[in-house]
Amino acid sequence: MDGNDEESESAASTGLNRFTFLCALLASTTSILLGYDIGVMSGAAMLIRENLKLSWLQEEVLVGTLNFFSLIGSLATGKTSDWIGRRYTIVLAAATFLVGALFMALSPSFPFILAGRMLAGIAVGYALIIAPLYTAELSPTMTRGFLTSLPEVFITLGILLGYIINYALTSWRLMLGLAAIPAIAIAFAAIAMPESPRWLLFKGRVADARRVLLSISNSPGEAQLRLQEITNALSTGPNSHARPVWKELLVRPTRPIRHMLVSAMGINFFMQASGNDAVIYYCPEVFKAVGIHNKKHLFGVNVIMGLAKSSFVLVSALYLDRFGRRPLLLLGSFGMAVSLCGLGLASKILEASTRRPLWAVVLSIVAVCADVSFFSIGLGPITWVYSSEIFPTRLRAQGSSLAISVNRLVSGVVSMTFLTISEKITFGGMFFVLGGIMVVATAFFYVFLPETKGKTLEEMETLFEGSNGDKESHDRRTEIQVV
């Protein structure tokens, strides 16, 4: 191969392979299940409470149960996806959600709908981990940020779809039952997708992995380079087969693995401690408290919020590989802190006023839209990207499971206590607390999270070793590309 051929091949490898994009798109649609549930439950929960005569505590339990039971799916995904593969884990997630959705739609009482939420939660736990994990393992380095942020795009689109269904329908059973349609479509789509080449190599299926890499690469040379990098990482990683995965992660982790764990668990903790899910779930209750009582108006505000959220997550996805993870994450978290403090201020003024000034109502709506928009710029997409890309192949499934289990646990706690705490300290006080949490989050991200843009999955362990390792990794990668 002459110099011109090498140059053209190198250029081609930086492009986005259409088949890879299609596979990432199909895998990411799994995340629409969580998004739809968040969006539709923001309206359905209020209707269910009125129809089944539930207390506020029961409404909190109903909403938060899905997040707690998603812990089961999150923790099981590592073993499950290592056992049956990434692709069939997507099928399992969709099938479980289908059963849960039908159970909820046909429930005659609170215990039955709660059982449906439990099943749906397990499915969501699977979906949240497997979609970005599968996508990261298929994606080339230069477009991995964009492709692994697609799950958050579909979560956001699912939320918007749920808002629109809330606005259009008045039956909570139909709202919840419609989730069965995307679940069926996802299960059939996943069967047509290829398996992850890293999983195939992990299982010793070299020929199958080479065939998949040829289909998701822009040239045979790129496919061979990726095959060699993955093989080397699996065979020469420190203690790659010497210790059980969980022991290497939790009992005696190396310095880079410990840094990865702190970073992944930290970003997942702050993603949910920000209160984003709770704000979306209980947005109608928040706006009822500030004087908007008409259901159409309440759900209309939700649609506006969903449009803002969807717009900004697309912007973040498109520019994630250009600007990097850190700048967008820091911008988003700081913007959320300011927005939540603005929302707290507006809520406090409305709580103290009997006349409810229009400007304060407008400020609260703008602040909510700004909060979810900054979330969609930073924490929303980057949490999934970071969680799925930083762990080495031998630890990726279990490491992602552990990090996203923190995500689900914190989401459940916040969702199940948001109304109760707000009743004690008011919505305004709650938003000030969340704003303070985001200030701490911004500092944490600045200190602990290195930039991963442009790094291969096989280089992450060196990157998290420290700044010197980062430079050596960069030099080594540059040398490979030049040769």
Side-chain angles (χ1 to χ4, degrees), residues 32-100:
I32 207 170
L33 300 176
L34 173 62
Y36 181 81
D37 181 86
I38 292 173
V40 85
M41 279 302 290
S42 68
M46 187 168 61
L47 299 176
I48 293 168
R49 178 164 56 84
E50 294 172 357
N51 183 243
L52 298 182
K53 311 300 182 192
L54 306 182
S55 64
W56 271 32
L57 177 60
Q58 286 176 309
E59 182 182 354
E60 284 182 319
V61 170
L62 184 65
V63 170
T65 293
L66 181 137
N67 296 315
F68 273 120
F69 273 80
S70 65
L71 272 171
I72 298 174
S74 297
L75 291 171
T77 302
K79 279 290 185 184
T80 304
S81 65
D82 279 350
W83 179 38
I84 66 175
R86 307 336 190 195
R87 182 176 53 151
Y88 286 111
T89 304
I90 295 174
V91 177
L92 177 63
T96 307
F97 194 89
L98 170 63
V99 176

Side-chain angles (χ1 to χ4, degrees), residues 339 342-343 345-347 349 358-368:
S339 302
L343 182 56
L345 176 63
S347 298
I349 290 170
L358 179 61
W359 68 266
V361 175
V362 172
L363 175 59
S364 65
I365 294 173
V366 171
V368 165

